[in-house]
Amino acid sequence: MLRLYTHAACLQHDPGPGHPESPARLRAVLAALDRDRFAMLDRVEAPRANRSALERVHDPAYVARILASAPPEGTSRLDEDTLMSPGSAEAALRAAGAVVAAVDAAVAQGARAFCAVRPPGHHATASQAMGFCLFNNVAVGAAHALAVHGLERVAIADFDVHHGNGTQDIFAAEPRVLFASSHQSPLYPGTGHTDETGAGNLVNAPLPPGTGSQAFRRRWEQELLPRIAAFGPQLLLVSAGFDAHRADPLAQLELAADDYAWLTTRLLDVARDHAGGRMVSTLEGGYDLDALAASAAAHVAALFG
Ligand SMILES: [Zn+2]
């Protein structure tokens, strides 16, 4: 079973004209996952994350600030490139809630899921919004799996072109979570070097600008996938950003949609071998609308298996 979690509220977060993290991104993804070509998807409306789920990874004061700082109109700025609009708090609650609900379904029924949500999450730290991210959706899902379902090993694979500094930061001292990331370096946010290993639970594979399919696949095949497999995850979460595509305007990697199908299939193999097929993916970046749509469709088709 493959579930698609999304919510109309995720279209109501609008950082303003010209901002790359636009509602059009999610519309493009949902159009690519249309009911004709993806009839097999079980479509589920994302619930809101509750306060306690958010506070497992975020400071209570930070959660309160995000929920209170959406402006009545226009936008308000949290950092250089992270803004809120009137619909942002509700969107952020649904985005994190999607991953929590998908984790529940994965643990209870072995369901796999893709969460087509925004704002993205992997740059948000325990107490700081950054890089277009408000709540760290994948981290909220991982912490929920540990606390509520009692899992002891949760792996997070992050193939967004930017390093998931927030996720790394949140779990750097948590050996029950393995964080494995490929990302362009140098690039925003500047973290993700190979010597950032946390409690032995962080695996970073920085890739130089210009890296293409072959080197990308080799890095996953030789370094990241073996580490995830050796960890023996009971649940595999994915920070699925599609901005390493060659058409993406925010980075300089040279991937194609097919590379996302390839990696997703490899990750699904690991999830089947170790986690009873329990795999939950959530949308992070991807800023060329056509490339994003094609890549997300390739990813979801491969996730179906
Ligand atoms: Zn990104």
Side-chain angles (χ1 to χ4, degrees):
M1 179 169 37
L2 183 59
R3 291 188 167 182
L4 175 67
Y5 287 85
T6 189
H7 197 283
C10 293
L11 295 166
Q12 301 302 317
H13 163 61
D14 188 355
H19 196 287
E21 208 290 280
S22 69
R25 297 181 58 242
L26 181 54
R27 281 197 292 271
V29 168
L30 293 174
L33 302 178
D34 67 77
R35 287 170 196 275
D36 292 337
R37 277 175 295 172
F38 285 86
M40 74 291 198
L41 291 176
D42 180 15
R43 293 162 196 270
V44 186
E45 188 160 278
R48 294 188 187 102
N50 62 39
R51 220 44 188 244
S52 60
L54 298 170
E55 291 178 357
R56 283 191 197 102
V57 306
H58 293 293
D59 294 345
Y62 174 76
V63 173
R65 185 159 73 88
I66 292 299
L67 296 180
S69 53
E73 57 183 44
T75 54
S76 60
R77 193 174 284 274
L78 296 173
D79 89 339
E80 185 80 1
D81 39 38
T82 311
L83 295 92
M84 291 186 75
S85 67
S88 295
E90 179 71 10
L93 287 171
R94 299 286 180 177
V99 183
V100 170
V103 165
D104 285 339
V107 173
Q109 305 156 37
R112 294 195 294 279
F114 179 63
C115 301
V117 293
R118 56 184 288 283
H122 73 156
H123 294 305
T125 71
S127 58
Q128 196 180 350
M130 58 182 282
F132 317 158
C133 300
L134 301 178
F135 296 136
N136 193 316
N137 308 318
V138 81
V140 169
H144 177 79
L146 300 178
V148 174
H149 296 293
L151 299 195
E152 290 168 350
R153 293 180 309 283
V154 176
I156 302 172
D158 185 331
F159 56 74
D160 188 279
V161 80
H162 303 95
H163 181 241
N165 63 293
T167 312
Q168 168 168 303
D169 209 52
I170 287 165
F171 293 122
E174 173 50 88
R176 292 177 297 172
V177 175
L178 179 80
F179 176 68
S181 173
S182 67
H183 43 273
Q184 181 181 319
S185 179
L187 188 68
Y188 181 90
T191 50
H193 302 285
T194 52
D195 62 354
E196 295 166 26
T197 55
N201 63 325
L202 309 176
V203 194
N204 283 302
L207 304 166
T211 297
S213 301
Q214 221 182 353
F216 173 83
R217 293 185 187 202
R218 198 165 51 231
R219 211 65 190 272
W220 276 92
E221 196 91 79
Q222 295 180 354
E223 292 175 40
L224 299 168
L225 289 164
R227 282 293 299 275
I228 298 172
F231 180 68
Q234 297 162 302
L235 170 69
L236 177 58
L237 303 181
V238 181
S239 268
F242 300 101
D243 39 10
H245 192 285
R246 62 171 64 104
D248 197 275
L250 298 194
Q252 294 80 40
L253 294 196
E254 300 288 336
L255 300 192
D258 185 50
D259 293 309
Y260 295 110
W262 176 85
L263 179 54
T264 305
T265 300
R266 291 293 171 279
L267 289 168
L268 181 55
D269 288 344
V270 175
R272 282 180 165 142
D273 287 348
H274 299 277
R278 299 190 286 202
M279 183 166 166
V280 170
S281 172
T282 188
L283 180 64
E284 300 283 0
Y287 303 98
D288 177 89
L289 297 184
D290 292 339
L292 170 63
S295 300
H299 172 63
V300 172
L303 193 55
F304 186 66

